[in-house]
Amino acid sequence: MSTEPAAFHMADIRSKRPTRRRAVAVGELLAGPLAWPMIVERRLPKGDALVMAEIAGLQGAKQASALMPLCHPLPLELVRVRCEPIPERHAIRVYCECATEARTGVEMEALAGANAALLTLYDLSKPVEPALTISGIRLLFKEGGKSGLWLHPDGMSDAERAHYRPRGPERLDGVPCAVLTLSDRASHGEYEDRSGPVLHDGLRALGAELRETDVLPDGIEPLATRLRALAAGGVRLCLCTGGTGLGAHDQTPEALRQVATRRVDGLAEMIRSQSALHTPLAWLSRAEAVLVDDMLVLALPGSPRAASQSMNILAPVLAHALAMIDGKPHP
């Protein structure tokens, strides 16, 4: 019996966190001058191709995992199929939008739905015009998960953007931020800080202005003093990593509480509860969130992986939190 590993395998997504996911796929049927008006005017011999294509697209999206062996079955919460006539090319442009909350994306479902709708248009049109072409099938965009918003390099039209309104995390363009790593060993040069750079890169990706990054020893001081100085200097957001465990030297939450003008308990609980979807050890974290005057401060776990996960969890709400602090109206 062969002991070689299987040549194919379904991706293991058990350690991923469920997030809201959305994807839109698009493609076209080039129907030609004879079939196109019959499709649009719903005069094809087999019946109304546009209505049947929408139904087929719904079925195709729901059957994606049955059609593709390594595709995860997902409980779809939304499937919308839209057929748009394009007179200048005698084409029918088909869109399939899928959404759910899951550990993996819905791009294959959107593509399966678009393909099923296009094949149905083809099937109903071929008695009139056998010289049909299906073309341009691609993912328009996808949202959610670790990668956030992804747009196809070929871009989207203004009409497509207005209709689907692709959304990534709200940006922090120009917001003064700081990243502080709390670690005795890293501050003494015994090993390289790898968690701080993860948070640094995450904030940069959102457009933030990094005013300061530093590595401090564990303990209430000098962190408390540094936080007061950052708040006085106009920093609006400070992410701290490390010192949130149960060890005797883990005192980052105590430092935050010492300088806090208000606590933000909901953010701390969100970090723990969402991180627990990656690992149950997250419940041992003493993650903390406070306001120091107008500066939002978050104490996050110290490992690079946990820092990355925390950044992904926080990214969708940071800009809104700062807007609330500034007294701006809620959307």
Side-chain angles (χ1 to χ4, degrees):
M1 180 180 293
S2 173
T3 59
E4 292 294 322
F8 307 100
H9 65 278
M10 180 180 284
D12 186 351
I13 60 172
R14 292 174 295 173
S15 64
K16 297 177 71 175
R17 177 175 61 93
T19 63
R20 291 185 177 182
R21 314 269 187 157
R22 186 168 67 122
V24 175
V26 65
E28 289 187 354
L29 175 78
L30 303 179
L34 177 62
W36 188 86
M38 298 183 71
I39 295 172
V40 174
E41 296 166 12
R42 305 172 192 267
R43 294 189 291 107
L44 287 172
K46 286 188 176 182
D48 190 334
L50 297 177
V51 170
M52 187 57 67
E54 292 184 9
I55 296 171
L58 292 168
Q59 286 294 96
K62 292 189 290 183
Q63 294 296 317
S65 63
L67 295 170
M68 290 163 279
L70 304 184
C71 182
H72 293 85
L74 295 177
L76 292 176
E77 298 173 359
L78 169 73
V79 180
R80 288 196 184 112
V81 179
R82 184 166 64 98
C83 298
E84 180 181 329
I86 311 295
E88 59 270 23
R89 294 201 305 278
H90 295 121
I92 305 295
R93 192 166 176 84
V94 173
Y95 297 90
C96 181
E97 176 186 12
C98 295
T100 190
E101 184 166 340
R103 288 182 163 89
T104 190
V106 288
E107 54 265 40
M108 298 312 299
E109 286 72 15
L111 287 163
N115 273 281
L118 288 164
L119 287 170
T120 298
L121 287 172
Y122 193 113
D123 180 45
L124 271 66
S125 303
K126 61 183 172 60
V128 173
E129 174 58 84
L132 301 165
T133 300
I134 292 174
S135 69
I137 299 173
R138 63 184 174 94
L139 187 65
L140 202 60
F141 71 88
K142 63 176 181 174
E143 298 170 351
K146 184 177 180 180
S147 58
L149 174 64
W150 180 89
L151 301 170
H152 194 282
D154 288 349
M156 300 171 61
S157 69
D158 291 340
E160 289 169 338
R161 284 186 176 275
H163 186 90
Y164 290 109
R165 302 182 64 180
R167 296 179 295 274
E170 288 188 68
R171 293 185 58 79
L172 298 171
D173 291 326
V175 174
C177 297
V179 173
L180 301 178
T181 299
L182 287 305
S183 169
D184 285 334
R185 290 187 295 163
S187 66
H188 297 151
E190 295 178 21
Y191 69 79
E192 181 183 1
D193 170 34
R194 293 190 294 129
S195 299
V198 169
L199 298 178
H200 179 283
D201 292 346
L203 290 172
R204 284 284 193 196
L206 294 175
E209 174 194 344
L210 267 294
R211 289 274 185 90
E212 184 170 339
T213 58
D214 203 358
V215 180
L216 305 178
D218 287 311
I220 295 176
E221 294 291 346
L223 176 56
T225 299
R226 183 65 63 86
L227 291 175
R228 291 190 188 98
L230 291 172
V235 170
R236 298 301 316 283
L237 174 64
C238 179
L239 301 184
C240 303
T241 175
T244 62
L246 303 180
H249 295 283
D250 293 327
Q251 296 182 304
T252 300
E254 285 72 24
L256 268 62
R257 292 171 194 154
Q258 179 169 302
V259 299
T261 51
R262 281 190 293 172
R263 293 179 62 176
V264 190
D265 295 330
L267 282 179
E269 290 309 311
M270 183 181 74
I271 294 166
R272 269 187 287 277
S273 62
Q274 293 293 305
S275 297
L277 298 172
H278 294 290
T279 169
L281 297 179
W283 292 113
L284 299 176
S285 167
R286 298 191 303 131
E288 186 68 79
V290 304
L291 290 178
V292 181
D293 298 325
D294 290 335
M295 181 175 71
L296 178 61
V297 185
L298 296 117
L300 309 176
S303 76
R305 183 178 181 185
S308 176
Q309 291 168 351
S310 297
M311 191 70 233
N312 292 333
I313 292 167
L314 291 168
V317 301
L318 289 175
H320 187 68
L322 295 176
M324 291 178 67
I325 296 168
D326 291 339
K328 295 179 180 178
H330 296 191

